[in-house]
């Protein structure tokens, strides 16, 4: 025979189980955020709505992982950032932090340069169409001469195209751009405004402009000497 259990104990156990239960929509939202790092309103509107209306609940789920939710409601973005808690240790700096679930990936020079160019296109799109205006579409033939200006022309159109496509494919894996479509266009994702430090990107572009200008001056001086 099963021993009798006082009703008060049954009620307490049921209450504890209920308290520990996480609603399905919260679970799905947190799982999607942990899997992809972000939610976009135009791509997953239901989960995005959960994220912006139950931010505190989502953050309670994320807190043990030293992650928190950040909302950009103007652009329709909900994305994960590393919690400030990770930086409260006086021995850690921005350049030294590590996280068991977040892999730090440093961009190489060519990738950083393309991000800077793409960000300029995105900001120009927002200035013209307004914040949160939607997809910022750019054509590869528009990007190619800008990349060649800074990195130089390889002397082969096919090689330059391949370089650009390879860089865009890499950035697609970071969620910065879409697939290249059949019209040789890509969509710049709004997350680009949060992924990179705009001051650093602007300094990078200015540095490349100075290098290009110096090379042009040197070339002109050489031509003058030859004459």
């Amino acid at each position: 025979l099963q021993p009798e259990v006082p009703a008060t104990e049954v009620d307490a156990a049921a209450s504890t189980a209920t308290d520990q239960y996480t609603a399905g929509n919260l679970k799905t939202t947190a799982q999607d955020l942990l899997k992809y790092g972000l939610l976009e309103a135009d791509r997953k509107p239901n989960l995005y709505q959960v994220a912006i209306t139950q931010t505190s609940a989502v953050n309670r789920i994320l807190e043990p992982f030293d992650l928190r939710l950040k909302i950009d409601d103007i652009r329709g973005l909900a994305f994960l950032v590393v919690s400030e808690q990770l930086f409260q240790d006086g021995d850690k700096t921005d350049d030294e932090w590590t996280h068991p679930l977040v892999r730090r990936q440093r961009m190489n020079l060519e990738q950083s340069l393309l991000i800077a160019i793409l960000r300029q296109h995105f900001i120009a799109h927002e200035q013209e169409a307004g914040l949160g205006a939607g997809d910022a579409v750019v054509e590869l033939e528009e990007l190619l001469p800008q990349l060649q200006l800074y990195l130089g022309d390889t002397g082969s159109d096919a090689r330059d195209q391949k370089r650009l496509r390879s860089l865009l494919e890499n950035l697609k894996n970071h969620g910065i751009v879409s697939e290249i479509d059949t019209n040789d266009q890509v969509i710049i994702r709004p997350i680009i405004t949060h992924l990179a430090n705009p001051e650093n990107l602007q300094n990078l572009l200015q540095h490349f402009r100075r290098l290009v200008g110096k090379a042009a001056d040197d070339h002109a001086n050489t031509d003058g000497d030859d004459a």
Side-chain angles (χ1 to χ4, degrees):
L1 295 177
Q2 295 292 329
E4 292 184 0
V5 179
T8 53
E9 292 185 20
V10 174
D11 291 343
S15 174
T16 301
T18 303
D19 291 343
Q20 292 176 348
Y21 175 76
T22 302
N25 59 353
L26 272 176
K27 281 184 181 179
T28 305
T29 301
Q31 288 168 357
D32 233 59
L33 283 165
L34 287 169
K35 184 175 182 180
Y36 300 109
L38 81 162
L39 294 168
E40 294 176 298
D42 61 343
R43 303 177 80 183
K44 296 188 177 179
N46 294 336
L47 296 184
Y48 173 77
Q49 195 62 27
V50 173
I52 65 172
T53 58
Q54 301 189 59
T55 305
S56 296
V58 174
N59 275 329
R60 281 195 293 272
I61 297 173
L62 298 172
E63 194 279 332
F65 305 107
D66 280 330
L67 298 170
R68 66 179 178 86
L69 184 61
K70 189 170 182 179
I71 305 294
D72 181 346
D73 56 350
I74 296 176
R75 297 183 176 94
L77 286 175
F79 57 98
L80 294 185
V81 296
V82 176
S83 173
E84 291 90 345
Q85 193 78 22
L86 198 65
F87 304 105
Q88 290 183 358
D89 184 347
D91 294 333
K92 289 185 178 180
T93 68
D94 268 358
D95 290 331
E96 296 172 346
W97 69 267
T98 58
H99 191 287
L101 299 179
V102 180
R103 183 176 59 182
R104 296 196 67 179
Q105 290 188 336
R106 297 188 183 278
M107 299 291 180
N108 63 34
L109 191 60
E110 291 186 353
Q111 292 165 347
S112 299
L113 177 61
L114 184 54
I115 288 175
I117 293 171
L118 289 168
R119 192 178 189 280
Q120 281 193 333
H121 279 278
F122 188 85
I123 296 302
H125 168 76
E126 287 196 326
Q127 288 174 342
E128 182 178 341
L131 291 178
D135 295 341
V137 180
V138 62
E139 297 182 2
L140 266 61
E141 66 178 25
E142 192 176 354
L143 292 174
L144 191 58
Q146 292 179 280
L147 200 63
Q148 289 171 325
L149 173 65
Y150 297 117
L151 297 181
D153 190 334
T154 65
S156 165
D157 289 343
R159 195 176 299 130
D160 287 340
Q161 275 276 353
K162 183 177 180 181
R163 175 174 63 182
L164 175 59
R165 288 174 178 274
S166 176
L167 289 171
L168 287 170
E169 178 65 24
N170 182 274
L171 297 187
K172 178 183 74 70
N173 295 333
H174 292 282
I176 299 174
V177 295
S178 69
E179 293 265 9
I180 300 171
D181 67 17
T182 54
N183 296 318
D184 282 347
Q185 298 174 326
V186 292
I187 297 171
I188 308 170
R189 299 291 185 200
I191 194 65
I192 196 171
T193 59
H194 297 281
L195 283 179
N197 183 314
E199 183 180 348
N200 289 345
L201 292 180
Q202 194 59 36
N203 289 338
L204 177 65
L205 283 177
Q206 290 175 357
H207 173 69
F208 269 100
R209 288 190 186 110
R210 286 194 296 269
L211 290 179
V212 170
K214 184 177 183 301
D217 290 343
D218 290 345
H219 182 69
N221 291 335
T222 300
D223 288 345
D225 293 341
D226 291 342

